[in-house]
């Protein structure tokens, strides 16, 4: 009997190694990007090698490669109005190379805007001091204002509830941050404003990053009662001074001391006061503590000493004797609240530069550009 055999053959499997691909975000060739754009380069089916971003002057920009060598990330902000070349490669498992080559250019601003932060770094201030972000020009673009707020962080120890508000100051629009209530004494505050590379709208951009760390001092509140002609100073809840004073003449609306919450804004040993409408020039006010940019001070005036505590006759300031004015002057801090009550005219925006505490908290929150109610705030 004949037998038959069957022979089978196996075809070898061919392993196809895919070529490495490169994904770049934003795409190479992008123009007018923000200097703070997060640039990433990603390799698929391979690893990155020799990735370099270089300015036209030859300077290499910082960047970092992930441990698996598949992702490169930009490590520092770029410059304004600058072009950067990107080179490198992705290497597949079989050694085949995919080249990386392209460029970016950044936005060319019409202007870059400086800013400043108050209180300044290292300051110790009173419990009513707001944080003032002063900008070099009026920023009215809503998206620009939102960008600015998003770029600023306020860190406090202990944690403090607060909010930003866009406020019209004497020198234009500024961004203020204040707590819901007065600061707790001893609070440590750090403000970090990463404004470089931030669009303010209208092709205006932030010039630099800023920081400030300051401390809230003791809790001191000065309370002025126009009806009793007294100025009382409370420190940590205890009465430390009870000064007889004379406030503004109530029968003349131009001289009334406005009611509301001021803060101590500055101190001068000697301030020369002039008011042509009331025919006085270069009056020597000693131990002058400014509480408003509209000319309201707490200062010495021995010329009214006989009626201090009995009658209001001034042009809006709070007069004290020379001795009492010096005592107040020597111990007060920037940011100490001064609460004036029983006035016939309330304090308003027109009565001084820092009127933050005259705005109710519910209203204050709507003045943040990030508030849902912002568009309806007035």
């Amino acid at each position: 009997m004949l037998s038959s055999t069957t022979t089978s053959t196996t075809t070898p499997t061919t392993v196809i190694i895919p070529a490495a691909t490169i994904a770049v975000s934003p795409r190479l060739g992008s123009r007018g990007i923000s200097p703070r754009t997060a640039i990433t380069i990603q390799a698929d089916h391979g690893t990155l090698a020799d990735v370099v971003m270089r300015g036209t002057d030859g300077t290499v920009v910082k960047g970092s490669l992930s441990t698996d060598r598949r992702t490169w990330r930009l490590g520092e902000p770029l410059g304004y109005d600058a072009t950067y070349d990107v080179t490198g490669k992705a290497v597949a498992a079989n050694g085949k190379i995919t080249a990386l080559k392209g460029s970016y250019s950044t936005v060319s601003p019409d202007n870059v805007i400086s800013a400043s932060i108050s209180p300044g770094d290292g300051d110790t201030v009173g419990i009513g001091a707001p944080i003032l972000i002063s900008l070099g020009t009026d920023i009215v673009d809503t998206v620009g204002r939102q960008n600015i707020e998003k770029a600023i962080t306020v860190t406090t120890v202990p944690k403090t509830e607060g909010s930003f508000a866009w406020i019209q100051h004497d020198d234009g629009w500024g961004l203020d941050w204040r707590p819901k209530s007065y600061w707790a004494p001893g609070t440590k505050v750090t403000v970090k404003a990463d404004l470089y590379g931030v669009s303010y709208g209208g092709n205006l951009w932030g010039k630099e990053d800023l920081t400030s760390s300051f401390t809230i001092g003791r809790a001191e509140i000065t309370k002025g009662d126009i009806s009793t002609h007294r100025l009382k100073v409370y420190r940590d809840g205890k009465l430390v001074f009870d000064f007889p004073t004379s406030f503004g003449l109530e029968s003349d609306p131009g001289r009334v001391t406005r009611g509301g919450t001021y803060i101590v804004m500055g101190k001068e040993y000697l301030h020369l006061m002039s008011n042509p409408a009331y025919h006085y020039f270069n009056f020597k006010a000693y131990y002058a503590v400014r509480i408003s940019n509209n000319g309201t001070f707490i200062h010495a005036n021995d010329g009214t000493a006989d009626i201090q505590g009995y009658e209001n006759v001034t042009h809006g300031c709070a007069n004290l004797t020379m001795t009492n004015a010096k005592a107040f002057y020597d111990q007060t801090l920037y940011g100490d609240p001064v609460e004036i009550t029983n006035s016939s005219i309330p304090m308003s925006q027109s009565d001084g530069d820092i009127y933050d505490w005259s705005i109710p908290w519910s209203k204050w929150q709507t003045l943040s550009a990030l508030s849902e109610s912002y568009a309806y705030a007035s």
Side-chain angles (χ1 to χ4, degrees):
M1 181 178 180
L2 296 176
S3 63
S4 64
T5 59
T6 303
T7 303
S8 61
T9 60
T10 302
T11 303
T13 302
T14 302
V15 178
I16 299 175
I17 299 176
T21 60
I22 301 173
V24 184
S25 177
R27 65 176 180 81
L28 288 169
S30 295
R31 300 288 178 258
I33 65 172
S34 163
R36 280 201 122 99
T37 299
I39 296 175
T40 60
I41 301 169
Q42 181 85 38
D44 271 337
H45 309 299
T47 57
L48 294 170
D50 303 328
V51 177
V52 176
M53 179 181 287
R54 196 187 307 270
T56 54
D57 63 354
T59 301
V60 174
V61 179
K62 293 178 183 178
S64 62
L65 191 61
S66 61
T67 54
D68 63 5
R69 305 185 65 83
R70 295 184 60 189
T71 304
W72 183 94
R73 290 184 173 87
L74 178 65
E76 64 179 323
L78 303 176
Y80 285 118
D81 193 19
T83 298
Y84 297 87
D85 293 323
V86 181
T87 58
K89 59 188 177 183
V91 183
N94 61 3
K96 289 186 177 180
I97 291 172
T98 300
L100 170 69
K101 185 175 178 60
S103 65
Y104 292 106
S105 67
T106 56
V107 66
S108 178
D110 288 342
N111 201 0
V112 289
I113 307 301
S114 294
S116 62
I117 301 174
S118 173
D121 203 45
D123 286 352
T124 297
V125 298
I127 60 173
I131 299 168
L132 310 178
I133 310 295
S134 299
L135 302 163
T137 190
D138 282 347
I139 306 300
V140 296
D141 181 84
T142 297
V143 174
R145 288 183 172 186
Q146 292 172 340
N147 291 343
I148 292 169
E149 286 191 48
K150 291 175 182 177
I152 303 172
T153 57
V154 178
T155 305
T156 66
V157 179
K159 189 174 181 180
T160 305
E161 181 181 1
S163 177
F164 281 115
W166 287 89
I167 297 294
Q168 181 73 56
H169 289 292
D170 289 348
D171 59 354
W173 285 99
L175 179 63
D176 294 10
W177 191 102
R178 75 163 174 87
K180 181 179 180 180
S181 305
Y182 293 147
W183 296 101
T187 299
K188 303 294 185 182
V189 185
T190 298
V191 185
K192 189 170 184 288
D194 292 334
L195 295 173
Y196 175 78
V198 173
S199 171
Y200 291 2
N203 204 28
L204 304 177
W205 293 74
K207 184 176 182 180
E208 68 267 301
D209 294 341
L210 306 167
T211 60
S212 179
S213 295
F214 59 92
T215 302
I216 307 302
R218 75 287 181 273
E220 179 163 303
I221 302 173
T222 298
K223 298 186 178 185
D225 188 333
I226 287 175
S227 63
T228 63
H229 322 290
R230 310 297 295 191
L231 199 68
K232 298 183 179 182
V233 180
Y234 295 85
R235 188 179 304 145
D236 298 320
K238 296 180 180 179
L239 180 65
V240 292
F241 295 112
D242 183 358
F243 299 129
T245 188
S246 181
F247 295 101
L249 182 67
E250 286 283 302
S251 61
D252 183 347
R255 293 171 63 175
V256 171
T257 303
R258 272 46 174 171
T261 300
Y262 301 79
I263 69 163
V264 170
M265 299 173 63
K267 302 192 295 185
E268 298 172 68
Y269 168 68
L270 172 62
H271 181 80
L272 299 179
M273 294 184 172
S274 299
N275 191 335
Y278 287 95
H279 313 295
Y280 65 89
F281 302 88
N282 293 328
F283 171 80
K284 293 181 178 180
Y286 289 94
Y287 301 112
V289 176
R290 180 185 290 277
I291 60 174
S292 144
N293 277 344
N294 200 34
T296 307
F297 290 78
I298 299 169
H299 67 85
N301 185 359
D302 278 339
T304 62
D306 290 345
I307 58 173
Q308 289 172 20
Y310 301 99
E311 191 175 350
N312 294 323
V313 300
T314 80
H315 290 81
C317 294
N319 283 183
L320 301 174
T321 64
M322 191 73 74
T323 299
N324 288 344
K326 182 179 186 302
F328 180 73
Y329 176 98
D330 284 345
Q331 54 78 56
T332 195
L333 290 177
Y334 172 88
D336 284 344
V338 179
E339 302 173 354
I340 304 297
T341 57
N342 292 317
S343 171
S344 60
I345 302 177
M347 180 184 178
S348 68
Q349 176 181 330
S350 62
D351 296 312
D353 194 42
I354 302 178
Y355 55 97
D356 299 34
W357 294 102
S358 294
I359 302 173
W361 178 246
S362 58
K363 174 69 172 178
W364 179 270
Q365 292 173 290
T366 69
L367 300 178
S368 163
L370 300 177
S371 166
E372 292 180 0
S373 304
Y374 172 76
Y376 308 101
S378 60

